[in-house]
Amino acid sequence: MKGIGIDTGGTCTDAVIYDFETGQVLSEAKTLTTHHDLKIGITEVLRKLPAALLRECEQAALSTTLATNACVENLGGKGKIIFLGVSRKVFMDTWRSYGFRSLDDILLVDCRILPDPAASEEPDWEALRERLPAFLTDCDCVSIVQLFAADHGGAYELKVQELIREYPQFQDIPVILGNTLFADLNAIRRGAGALLNARLVPVVCAFMAAIRDVFTSMELDVPITIIRSDGSQMSEAYAVERPVETLLCGPAASVIGACTLSDTPNAIVVDMGGTTTDIAIVKNRVVKRAETGIQVGDWKTFVKGLYVDTFGLGGDTRIYYDRGGKIHLGKTRVQPLCTLAAEYPQVMEKLKKLDDSDRLNVCPLHEFFILLKDIEGDETGHFYQSEKALCRALKKGPLSYEEACAAMEKDIYTADFSRLESARAILRCGLTPTDFMHIRGDFTSFSTEASLHAAAFFVRSSEAETVEALAQKAYDLVTERLYKNLVRILLTTECTPLSKNPFDAQMDELINYAWQLAGTAGSRNKSFLPRIFETRARLVGVGAPTHIFLPRVAKMLRTQAVLPEHASVANAVGAVTGQVTAVTEVSLRPVSGEDFGNVIVVSRDHRRTFSSRTKALSFARKEGRRIAADQAQKQGARGALEIREEVIRNDAPMGYGMIWLGDTLRFTASGSTLR
């Protein structure tokens, strides 16, 4: 059986055809991501795969940055949320810290909700019914979150859903119940994830419709799954209800792909892409998880995912000089000049002319700008007329730094492009590690000549003495940032106290000194200190540029670099090889007061009281296995399931010994989407 794996990343869209029986990648392809219309890039990358093999595939799996980008850039549909029982004062004191941006999207319903349903006081349903039409106007999707939802089985959430459905105009609005998304206690944080989910529903629905159009046009009639934040798969139908679970699914797919391709039990997975580098930890073949929930931008959610540490470093990271000529590695993405010149031949001519002129300047005259978003019709008053003028000029094609300044009627020393760049209206194009890979011959798919012309101007204007020295400096800067971040991650994941507090200046100095020692060959190291940091985990590199930089960093950490075949398309491999995994928890807790000795069991579907812990535990195990299996099947699992059980005890010390405060039973059901 064969499957298609597709990953739409920030820079490239990758695709593979994978043979499940042999565990081999039969074919791979890569193309640039077309952000304005993802269908174009996906169609192009699929057409690069052998048509005969495509017709043999029986499923497809996706990994996408769509939800993450929408979250970070505050995009998406018009989502709204209704809170039931949440303290108005507590909410108003904390709402911004969870990522909420507008009170217009939020309806707080006052009522007294306690863990015991019998002691709770229901909302004024009639008053709420009257408020709904005005609140839900122009709404694409609404989520509902109540306090102590698990104890109540989400009863109040269901009631609100019924009220909404009474109105004919709201029959087609998706209504998502918060208790079906998250079971965690903090209702405000649950609400942040639920509102984000509501905003993402139309985004992912449109994306899936576009993918279906691509598959239909190519006569590919196969089921489609999407990778979740924890690296497992979910069905197309499940994904359009819970798009929030695709947050950071790209890095998660990368980790699964790295584990599949390398078969390394103890590993630090290093995925260097065009924009960022993602780091994950694997111990004894188990990937470290982010148990407290994912945070993306300002949004704090309870979405459970893999632990992934992301920092700005990739093949497209900007390399620039300041006005004193010092060379720096930035943290933002720019388009490499080698790829820009390959697409626009006039860029090559302008760079050659700049090189031939023997000019030098404190301003980056070798850089260009391209248009990402048309702001001509913007009526918010946010953009200046000079900025709109630049965007109009860019509609005709890329402009050099000087040409862009002229379009804004600014001189080259005072022109400011930062507002347009922050708004993602324009994109800067400049020298990057990818350009220096071309110069050094490590990667030559685009225009090496353009990179060389730009580098020659860069050398004249900076502290670099030759183009070769500049290329080495660029490689050193990338290696240094990679080494220092790996050390930081190892310290925070292996040393618990350090994980709770941000690094101070002294810790930064220690890591910097460790970098200097690690880069000093044996006989030249005159310090009494050896290399300070090392690891027994192997560094598994995936992503296109990783093979160039990782072996040197591994040597500094006294370990080995593992660079598996097909590493450059690991995300697509991870997408297609991921399994369905569903996790549910059932809690047991003792009853106090008159009913002392009884035990309450709370699951997704039930709240029941038993006369003994033994009876409660028996019911909890049956209930947990049933819910986990049901959830896995809804996510797309077919056939036999493997269900694992974990018991988390909660005991507290007393004067006479330990007292039992309760148990949490965690059930994990795993299966395949294949028949």
Side-chain angles (χ1 to χ4, degrees), residues 71-82:
C71 179
V72 171
E73 298 169 24
N74 195 27
L75 302 175
K78 185 64 173 176
K80 298 198 173 185
I81 184 165
I82 299 172

Side-chain angles (χ1 to χ4, degrees), residues 427-594:
L427 178 65
R428 188 182 294 258
C429 310
L431 283 172
T432 67
T434 299
D435 288 290
F436 290 106
M437 292 177 210
H438 279 71
I439 290 172
R440 298 188 68 161
D442 291 323
F443 176 59
T444 56
S445 296
F446 300 100
S447 175
T448 300
E449 188 179 353
S451 302
L452 283 167
H453 286 311
F457 168 80
F458 194 113
V459 167
R460 292 196 299 271
S461 303
S462 71
E463 62 185 0
E465 296 181 356
T466 64
V467 170
E468 292 74 18
L470 175 61
Q472 183 59 54
K473 177 66 174 178
Y475 273 35
D476 289 344
L477 288 171
V478 172
T479 305
E480 179 181 0
R481 182 171 295 175
L482 184 54
Y483 171 88
K484 289 182 175 179
N485 277 280
L486 282 173
V487 169
R488 172 185 59 80
I489 291 164
L490 284 169
L491 285 171
T492 53
T493 56
E494 296 298 311
C495 183
T496 303
L498 289 176
S499 67
K500 298 178 180 178
N501 299 294
F503 280 17
D504 57 19
Q506 286 184 319
M507 184 60 71
D508 289 337
E509 284 298 325
L510 176 62
I511 295 176
N512 186 57
Y513 186 60
W515 155 255
Q516 295 173 25
L517 288 179
T520 304
S523 61
R524 293 188 287 121
N525 185 357
K526 301 183 183 303
S527 171
F528 284 171
L529 280 172
R531 300 187 190 194
I532 299 174
F533 299 109
E534 59 184 69
T535 178
R536 67 183 180 88
R538 293 185 174 185
L539 307 186
V540 178
V542 295
T546 315
H547 69 282
I548 298 170
F549 306 104
L550 201 61
R552 183 180 169 192
V553 175
K555 186 176 180 181
M556 291 178 173
L557 291 170
R558 294 187 184 275
T559 187
Q560 292 179 312
V562 178
L563 303 167
E565 188 180 5
H566 309 295
S568 65
V569 291
N571 287 48
V573 174
V576 73
T577 57
Q579 281 198 318
V580 171
T581 301
V583 180
T584 191
E585 292 183 350
V586 181
S587 66
L588 285 72
R589 52 179 182 259
V591 179
S592 58
E594 296 180 359

Side-chain angles (χ1 to χ4, degrees), residues 3-237:
I4 307 165
I6 303 171
D7 172 65
T8 56
T11 302
C12 291
T13 294
D14 303 335
V16 299
I17 296 177
Y18 188 83
D19 190 318
F20 292 100
E21 295 178 0
T22 64
Q24 293 182 327
V25 176
L26 302 180
S27 182
E28 65 176 78
K30 184 182 290 284
T31 190
L32 294 176
T33 297
T34 49
H35 291 279
H36 64 287
D37 186 351
L38 296 178
K39 286 194 298 184
I40 297 173
I42 291 173
T43 300
E44 183 178 343
V45 79
L46 288 176
R47 293 198 184 282
K48 289 184 177 182
L49 298 173
L53 286 178
L54 274 177
R55 287 192 294 270
E56 295 179 16
C57 292
E58 299 183 39
Q59 80 160 70
L62 308 175
S63 164
T64 176
T65 61
L66 196 65
T68 304
N69 292 345
C71 179
V72 171
E73 298 169 24
N74 195 27
L75 302 175
K78 185 64 173 176
K80 298 198 173 185
I81 184 165
I82 299 172
F83 279 108
L84 299 151
V86 172
S87 165
R88 189 174 297 271
K89 182 182 185 307
V90 172
F91 183 83
M92 294 307 295
D93 287 343
T94 61
W95 67 290
R96 289 188 182 278
S97 66
Y98 290 97
F100 295 102
R101 289 178 170 85
S102 172
L103 291 174
D104 294 338
D105 302 331
I106 301 162
L107 178 61
L108 296 174
V109 180
D110 294 325
C111 58
R112 186 168 179 265
I113 303 179
L114 300 173
D116 184 358
S120 301
E121 298 176 2
E122 295 190 18
D124 184 338
W125 297 117
E126 190 57 38
L128 176 58
R129 179 184 282 108
E130 294 177 359
R131 297 175 67 185
L132 287 175
F135 178 68
L136 295 178
T137 301
D138 298 326
C139 178
D140 294 322
C141 180
V142 60
S143 289
I144 309 166
V145 170
Q146 76 168 87
L147 202 63
F148 300 117
D151 295 275
H152 291 243
Y156 293 179
E157 295 177 359
L158 285 166
K159 177 65 175 178
V160 177
Q161 184 183 45
E162 293 174 5
L163 295 181
I164 293 173
R165 293 302 184 218
E166 290 180 6
Y167 292 92
Q169 66 266 41
F170 302 136
Q171 292 298 312
D172 296 329
I173 293 180
V175 179
I176 310 298
L177 306 185
N179 78 96
T180 66
L181 293 173
F182 315 111
D184 307 79
L185 287 177
N186 186 328
I188 300 177
R189 184 163 181 167
R190 271 192 284 128
L195 176 57
L196 186 56
N197 190 79
R199 297 179 57 171
L200 292 174
V201 165
V203 174
V204 170
C205 283
F207 173 66
M208 294 309 304
I211 296 301
R212 274 292 169 202
D213 287 345
V214 171
F215 277 46
T216 299
S217 68
M218 299 187 68
E219 299 182 349
L220 296 173
D221 184 15
V222 295
I224 299 174
T225 59
I226 302 181
I227 289 294
R228 300 168 70 209
S229 305
D230 62 0
S232 65
Q233 293 181 339
M234 58 181 167
S235 66
E236 183 179 354

